[in-house]
Amino acid sequence: MDVVSVIVIMILLGHYFSSLRDTQFSKNNKKEYMSSVAWQLKREMVLARDKHSCRSCTSLDRLEVHHITYQRLGNEKLSDLVTVCRDCHQKIHDKYGYNYQTLYPIR
């Protein structure tokens, strides 16, 4: 893909995410958001930023995108997200006392 195509895609994504700015996602519709095109695009951006490797152990296998915070669910900054492998993701959740079914971190 050439540089111009990448720039056009980034502009379109910027407009798309701007249109979501006022959308609020709650515990009740987190699952819907996580299966949305908006989330899939953001997820791919995080994976690319992190060079498709776990930021904790550098694994290239079973990668997931972890929410550092759910404060801006649906309108996350890329800095709210990090690529981790499945094992490191589980360790993060074990450390903070919540599992994959929990919608927000326990404070």
Side-chain angles (χ1 to χ4, degrees):
M1 187 178 296
D2 63 36
V3 174
V4 173
S5 297
V6 171
I7 292 170
V8 169
I9 290 170
M10 294 304 290
I11 290 169
L12 292 173
L13 285 174
H15 289 298
Y16 179 73
F17 289 126
S18 291
S19 71
L20 293 175
R21 187 176 309 133
D22 296 328
T23 304
Q24 295 296 316
F25 291 92
S26 68
K27 291 186 257 185
N28 297 329
N29 60 9
K30 176 184 177 237
K31 185 175 180 179
E32 179 182 341
Y33 170 63
M34 298 300 281
S35 63
S36 72
V37 172
W39 168 250
Q40 295 305 316
L41 289 170
K42 196 166 286 188
R43 181 182 183 279
E44 288 302 320
M45 291 170 68
V46 172
L47 290 168
R49 178 200 66 199
D50 294 341
K51 298 179 175 64
H52 291 271
S53 66
C54 177
R55 295 284 300 271
S56 181
C57 74
T58 70
S59 172
L60 304 175
D61 299 320
R62 300 176 2 172
L63 297 176
E64 301 176 350
V65 173
H66 171 68
H67 280 83
I68 295 168
T69 178
Y70 284 110
Q71 289 178 336
R72 290 176 282 273
L73 182 65
N75 194 26
E76 301 95 338
K77 295 179 179 181
L78 293 182
S79 60
D80 292 341
L81 305 166
V82 63
T83 302
V84 290
C85 68
R86 176 77 173 143
D87 292 339
C88 289
H89 201 178
Q90 186 63 55
K91 288 175 186 175
I92 290 167
H93 285 276
D94 289 347
K95 179 179 179 179
Y96 291 102
Y98 56 98
N99 62 41
Y100 290 100
Q101 304 309 310
T102 301
L103 300 174
Y104 293 94
I106 295 171
R107 296 185 189 270

